[in-house]
Amino acid sequence: MEKFHLFVNKHESLLRYSVVVVGVSGGPDSLALLHQFLKIRKKLQLTIIAAHLDHMFRGKQSESEMIFVQQFCERHDISCETKQIHVAAYADKFNLSTQAAARTCRYDFFKEIMVKHNAGVLALGHHGDDQVETILMRLVRGSIGSALAGIPAKRKFDTGTIIRPFLSLSKDQLLDYCHVHNLNPRFDPSNEKLDYTRNRFRKRVLPFLKEENPLVHARFQYFSETTLEDEMYLQELTKEKMNTVLKRKEKQEVEIDTELFCDLPLPLQRRGIQLILNYLYENIPSSLSSIHIEGLQTLLSREHPSGSLDYPGGLKVIKSYQLCLFTFEHKQFEPYCYTLEIPSMLNLPNGYIIKSDIEKNIHEKNGNHTFIINRSFLTGPLLIRTRKPGDKIKVKGMNGTKKVKDIFIDEKVPLHSRSLWPIVEDGNGNILWIPSLKKSIFEGGEGEDDYVVLHYKKH
Ligand SMILES: Nc1ncnc2c1ncn2[C@@H]1O[C@H](COP(=O)(O)OP(=O)(O)OP(=O)(O)O)[C@@H](O)[C@H]1O
């Protein structure tokens, strides 16, 4: 148990004088853990609470495990908290796998006990073999980022901290410990079932690895800790760089500059995408994997200016020229057509306004954010509407007409912005102006007449 003491020494400031809830299933790992905590209880002045949840999977048998834990605690003068939850019914109700339901119920129960006893620490008996299985399973499944570092030895949990002091020890070492100390743990028969993925890794892969290197669990633990450190460092770097790439960040939507993004080194690109996904998803769907990240990197780096991807949980990723939009909001782009009074101000669905005024002695203005027209030449009413198929404009300074669609393409207007883009039309059906993009030949004039002046700006 030297490894356990090394762990305790490293985290002494967290542990000393604290209330520690130990999750005890009654199996060898958690029983050994509880036993070890008993040995340091006095020295570190700990208050130890054992917490056991009966998942009620195996009727009387699982109840007997709960009673076993209660009796063990009585014998060793430890406060014991237990609860019985019909996890199968819970899984049915919330449409979860029994494994996922058991996990949710267990961690909710731990939270409840920590609050009740004002405990800052939850200690769990995961060990080195669990770590090997977890890392291999995640690699095979295609997990990404810090998930590949496996089970963390210490992490935040609600208002407290979860610690796992046994990650550097193997299952065999814990079984030996229980044997030497006569702890007589219970064995859960479901650990033997080959229909659980973890059990297949344990039974089929681990024996081979241990044959190759009996200390394989220590190698994996080293890999886990260093991977986590590397990952934290790279994530910090990514956060910094992504600030320059981000164009817009809202609750359900993020927009990035694709050119700046593609200039980032590939490891930061990958993590940048993860950062966006972590931000947008409340819970990252388990079906999201490295395949999605690779797919997006390909979409962003290829020459074709547009394309989209559907991610799990209704997230859509839309690339359009220099912008890429991540959105859950599948906006129904309702066409609109408003009459513009003069003078007035009109709020548009794309977040912009058009303001109209009458002015005298005006000079033509450069730029596409203002449009002027001699009042006596204007046939009203002025309409502000969305685009229609076949729309054409007689572009100022050019002979002939141009399709509005081609202007959107030439100006690299993102696809999702085109449907809400305003078009200004006169009473004769001529397109006068596509705000901020193109003016028509109808603009202009100079003199002392009255002029209608239109301004287009952000709301
Ligand atoms: N029913 C439970 N009640 C309280 N804590 C639990 C329970 N099940 C698991 N835990 C905690 O979570 C840890 C990891 O659980 P896991 O299911 O991976 O292992 P286990 O096979 O139950 O381990 P053990 O040998 O302790 O039984 C356990 O070591 C224990 O600390």
Side-chain angles (χ1 to χ4, degrees):
M1 283 294 165
E2 205 181 301
K3 299 256 172 61
F4 174 80
H5 293 290
L6 282 175
F7 183 95
V8 168
N9 289 343
K10 187 169 167 193
H11 298 98
E12 191 177 326
S13 60
L14 171 74
L15 287 168
R16 187 172 282 280
Y17 307 118
S18 69
V19 180
V20 181
V21 171
V22 183
V24 187
S25 65
D29 320 331
S30 48
L31 209 59
L33 183 67
L34 184 61
H35 198 250
Q36 274 296 302
F37 266 104
L38 274 182
K39 295 196 167 199
I40 57 165
R41 175 160 65 174
K42 240 200 177 121
K43 186 175 158 221
L44 292 188
Q45 307 219 32
L46 304 176
T47 305
I48 298 174
I49 317 286
H52 174 90
L53 182 71
D54 176 3
H55 301 107
M56 300 175 79
F57 281 144
R58 289 165 286 113
K60 284 279 163 226
Q61 192 188 2
S62 56
E63 195 174 73
S64 74
E65 283 160 16
M66 181 177 81
I67 296 167
F68 167 77
V69 173
Q70 284 166 334
Q71 290 173 344
F72 183 93
C73 290
E74 257 170 45
R75 276 202 308 280
H76 293 88
D77 188 26
I78 306 167
S79 304
C80 182
E81 293 280 0
T82 60
K83 188 170 183 173
Q84 293 183 291
I85 298 183
H86 201 299
V87 172
Y90 181 95
D92 264 355
K93 186 170 166 193
F94 295 103
N95 198 18
L96 294 168
S97 71
T98 44
Q99 298 275 62
R103 195 175 180 283
T104 307
C105 292
R106 207 158 56 230
Y107 281 80
D108 283 351
F109 166 65
F110 290 146
K111 233 178 254 177
E112 186 185 312
I113 301 305
M114 287 175 81
V115 170
K116 180 173 169 189
H117 292 275
N118 204 9
V121 181
L122 169 65
L124 298 175
H126 297 91
H127 49 72
D129 291 13
D130 290 329
Q131 184 70 293
V132 179
E133 291 156 20
T134 302
I135 291 174
L136 290 177
M137 276 161 58
R138 291 189 183 171
L139 263 174
V140 171
R141 195 199 298 151
S143 297
I144 43 184
S146 52
L148 287 178
I151 312 171
K154 181 178 165 216
R155 76 160 166 96
K156 290 240 152 302
F157 177 62
D158 203 34
T159 53
T161 307
I162 288 184
I163 55 166
R164 296 183 173 98
F166 281 172
L167 285 175
S168 299
L169 291 159
S170 71
K171 177 87 189 176
D172 284 345
Q173 287 173 314
L174 295 175
L175 286 170
D176 279 353
Y177 181 89
C178 288
H179 183 68
V180 170
H181 292 86
N182 248 332
L183 298 184
N184 195 18
R186 307 289 108 173
F187 287 90
D188 176 353
S190 69
N191 282 344
E192 303 302 313
K193 278 197 201 162
L194 283 184
D195 41 357
Y196 292 140
T197 317
R198 177 176 291 280
N199 294 352
R200 288 198 296 277
F201 274 84
R202 179 178 308 146
K203 297 270 172 204
R204 293 180 178 157
V205 186
L206 246 66
F208 167 74
L209 296 178
K210 281 174 182 278
E211 218 174 270
E212 291 293 315
N213 179 1
L215 293 180
V216 66
H217 62 279
R219 305 313 328 139
F220 270 68
Q221 187 51 25
Y222 178 76
F223 168 82
S224 165
E225 286 168 21
T226 49
T227 302
L228 202 60
E229 283 165 9
D230 294 355
E231 193 53 42
M232 292 301 119
Y233 171 71
L234 285 168
Q235 281 184 18
E236 272 313 304
L237 208 61
T238 306
K239 266 186 212 156
E240 229 173 76
K241 298 281 180 198
M242 283 301 283
N243 280 337
T244 59
V245 167
L246 214 59
K247 301 298 282 180
R248 198 157 56 80
K249 185 171 140 193
E250 277 151 36
K251 194 159 180 279
Q252 298 261 300
E253 265 185 16
V254 167
E255 200 166 41
I256 58 168
D257 183 309
T258 52
E259 273 176 26
L260 294 176
F261 179 83
C262 290
D263 284 345
L264 296 180
L266 285 178
L268 301 199
Q269 286 189 15
R270 239 178 272 131
R271 286 171 178 84
I273 296 172
Q274 281 165 32
L275 212 61
I276 295 173
L277 299 179
N278 287 341
Y279 170 78
L280 286 171
Y281 281 115
E282 226 162 82
N283 292 306
I284 294 271
S286 55
S287 51
L288 196 86
S289 73
S290 50
I291 295 175
H292 293 97
I293 306 273
E294 296 289 322
L296 182 53
Q297 277 183 307
T298 312
L299 174 73
L300 294 179
S301 59
R302 73 177 188 202
E303 293 225 331
H304 198 282
S306 59
S308 69
L309 293 171
D310 285 305
Y311 271 27
L315 179 68
K316 210 168 173 69
V317 187
I318 308 160
K319 171 190 169 183
S320 195
Y321 300 98
Q322 212 179 324
L323 293 177
C324 179
L325 178 75
F326 298 71
T327 181
F328 279 111
E329 289 185 7
H330 303 310
K331 289 180 191 134
Q332 287 301 322
F333 294 115
E334 287 287 328
Y336 58 82
C337 181
Y338 307 113
T339 301
L340 185 71
E341 304 297 334
I342 305 167
S344 73
M345 199 167 80
L346 182 67
N347 281 320
L348 298 171
N350 67 343
Y352 280 72
I353 55 169
I354 287 191
K355 189 167 166 287
S356 65
D357 284 314
I358 296 178
E359 291 178 32
K360 274 189 184 301
N361 293 329
I362 198 91
H363 290 286
E364 244 181 83
K365 292 189 173 138
N366 286 330
N368 282 320
H369 284 79
T370 313
F371 183 85
I372 60 169
I373 184 165
N374 191 316
R375 193 178 185 187
S376 52
F377 298 155
L378 175 65
T379 312
L382 269 184
L383 297 180
I384 313 294
R385 63 164 175 84
T386 42
R387 64 180 175 157
K388 288 196 264 195
D391 269 346
K392 288 192 182 100
I393 176 171
K394 291 182 175 155
V395 178
K396 191 174 182 180
M398 214 185 92
N399 274 336
T401 58
K402 189 156 182 176
K403 285 186 191 156
V404 170
K405 185 179 159 205
D406 291 341
I407 293 174
F408 280 136
I409 293 172
D410 293 348
E411 299 286 332
K412 297 188 169 39
V413 174
L415 293 172
H416 55 272
S417 302
R418 293 180 196 174
S419 323
L420 288 180
W421 206 279
I423 285 174
V424 182
E425 184 182 285
D426 71 6
N428 293 327
N430 294 312
I431 293 181
L432 301 183
W433 184 35
I434 311 174
S436 97
L437 298 180
K438 278 279 177 282
K439 292 172 167 179
S440 72
I441 53 168
F442 300 102
E443 190 193 49
E446 269 187 41
E448 302 197 347
D449 301 342
D450 280 352
Y451 284 89
V452 175
V453 182
L454 307 179
H455 297 278
Y456 180 65
K457 53 187 171 191
K458 225 174 164 74
H459 186 52

